[in-house]
Amino acid sequence: MNAALRLGTRRSALAMAQSQMVADAVAEASGRAVELVPIVSEGDVNRASLSQLGGRGVFANGLREALAADRCDFLVHSLKDLPTLQPDGLVIAATPPREDARDVVVTRDGTALSALPAGAKVGTGSPRRIAQALRHNPGVDIHDIRGNVDSRLARVRDGELDAVILAAAGIARLGGDLGGLSAEYLGLAEWPTAPGQGSLAVETRADIAPEILAALAALDDTATRVEITAERTILSVLDAGCHAPVATHASLTDGDLRLRAIVYALDGSHRIGIDRTVRLEPGYGGEPGSGNGANAADDGGPIARASRAGQEAARRLLERGAADLVPRESTT
């Protein structure tokens, strides 16, 4: 009987929940049991703000070290936390179908972010969300916070904060219960989110057994892979960190890739944006479950075209002055 596969994951409730979803799918695809291996990342123990930590892969490095040391067979990441530079010897074997990519403003009474009174306390640790919130409502008082979803919601429920801004995907993967609080879902046209938000990345060693790689690749969703490739290419070309004030969202419909990207000043006072649609290929719709996996980025087809679309979008942003707004991160 084959030994159980070992899935490395962060210890948070959200990480464990989304890792268990992947574990169940891999077990079905491989016919082998999958056990979770909780691992502590730098981002779990370093309580500095995300703006100070920057884009150094603080939520991924510890997991990747465990994978390279053969303490686990594969990892599950929230893709938005991954640096765009892929380490030697590791591959993204699959990007499962994407969850809701939107952000959510959670309040006690349902007041919209734009309607919050001057001085209202809004909690978020993301420089992107800080810039967006200040642009939508310059009068709010931003509180730079860290912590899991439950602890952030509790700070609103207890009156310490008037609102928090969270990822819709995280709320959904934890069951969607806000404990009596109200949610305002923010439209992606005006409020694009972090590159890769709502997506998971299943990462493994390049030399893993072929049958394991095949089982992981069976989870890959081509439409998701196309969209996140375009988004993350923009981040890479801009040389911005994972937590820079860069917002992107790509959506694939009937072969057309619509790509929206905005770079913000840290205080939200200025932004540079682009919105363009690229035809990938006639009749291409990005069928779910295509299982292209680790080879998808090399197929010269829609993935490569999505990468080129991202490069062109980033080039146009730079021509318009985006480099003056983006904190540079050579380790992205």
Side-chain angles (χ1 to χ4, degrees):
M1 183 176 179
N2 290 325
L5 298 175
R6 301 162 298 167
L7 190 169
T9 176
R10 292 173 58 197
R11 295 175 179 266
S12 72
L14 175 56
M16 296 288 282
Q18 61 195 25
S19 292
Q20 188 60 59
M21 293 167 51
V22 172
D24 293 342
V26 172
E28 182 176 354
S30 66
R32 296 171 63 172
V34 179
E35 61 183 26
L36 300 189
V37 180
I39 298 167
V40 176
S41 68
E42 180 186 354
D44 295 320
V45 295
N46 188 332
R47 305 316 296 170
S49 71
L50 292 179
S51 59
Q52 292 175 327
L53 290 174
R56 296 182 289 115
V58 293
F59 295 112
N61 291 341
L63 277 70
R64 285 173 159 173
E65 290 168 2
L67 180 61
D70 195 28
R71 289 164 45 202
C72 54
D73 299 304
F74 64 102
L75 306 170
V76 172
H77 305 279
S78 290
L79 186 60
K80 67 183 179 65
D81 294 331
L82 277 189
T84 55
L85 180 63
Q86 187 64 26
D88 291 340
L90 301 183
V91 295
I92 302 298
T95 54
R98 190 178 204 167
E99 261 282 4
D100 192 338
R102 291 176 295 176
D103 273 346
V104 179
V105 178
V106 180
T107 60
R108 288 184 295 279
D109 59 4
T111 301
L113 174 64
S114 60
L116 288 172
K121 299 182 290 294
V122 177
T124 176
S126 160
R128 169 189 61 82
R129 288 173 176 154
I130 292 171
Q132 289 175 315
L134 290 173
R135 187 163 185 87
H136 280 70
N137 187 338
V140 298
D141 179 15
I142 299 293
H143 286 239
D144 191 345
I145 63 171
R146 297 283 306 279
N148 59 34
V149 172
D150 285 341
S151 68
R152 296 184 192 207
L153 294 177
R155 295 174 76 167
V156 176
R157 195 176 296 112
D158 296 343
E160 181 182 347
L161 296 172
D162 297 300
V164 292
I165 307 174
L166 303 171
I171 293 173
R173 288 176 181 138
L174 287 172
D177 183 10
L178 295 177
L181 299 175
S182 298
E184 175 195 7
Y185 286 78
L186 302 170
L188 289 164
E190 182 60 25
W191 188 292
T193 51
Q197 182 158 313
S199 301
L200 300 178
V202 181
E203 187 173 45
T204 190
R205 295 183 295 278
D207 61 357
I208 201 75
E211 62 271 19
I212 298 177
L213 184 62
L216 300 180
L219 278 62
D220 197 65
D221 178 70
T222 303
T224 297
R225 177 82 68 157
V226 166
E227 292 167 355
I228 62 94
T229 295
E231 294 171 12
R232 284 168 57 80
T233 297
I234 292 175
L235 190 69
S236 177
V237 174
L238 292 177
D239 193 22
C242 302
H243 300 291
V246 176
T248 67
H249 182 69
S251 58
L252 181 63
T253 306
D254 296 330
D256 289 329
L257 180 70
R258 181 176 181 182
L259 183 55
R260 173 80 159 149
I262 303 177
V263 179
Y264 295 90
L266 289 170
D267 63 359
S269 61
H270 183 53
R271 71 176 186 178
I272 298 170
I274 189 171
D275 191 342
R276 62 193 303 256
T277 299
V278 177
R279 185 68 174 166
L280 293 189
E281 63 180 275
Y284 178 75
E287 293 301 321
S290 61
N292 286 342
N295 296 321
D298 300 323
D299 67 5
I303 304 298
R305 294 187 182 98
S307 179
R308 290 194 291 271
Q311 293 171 20
E312 175 63 15
R315 183 185 66 79
R316 294 189 183 187
L317 288 169
L318 290 169
E319 288 176 349
R320 297 175 186 179
D324 296 332
L325 301 181
V326 176
R328 310 310 286 269
E329 283 286 353
S330 62
T331 55
T332 300

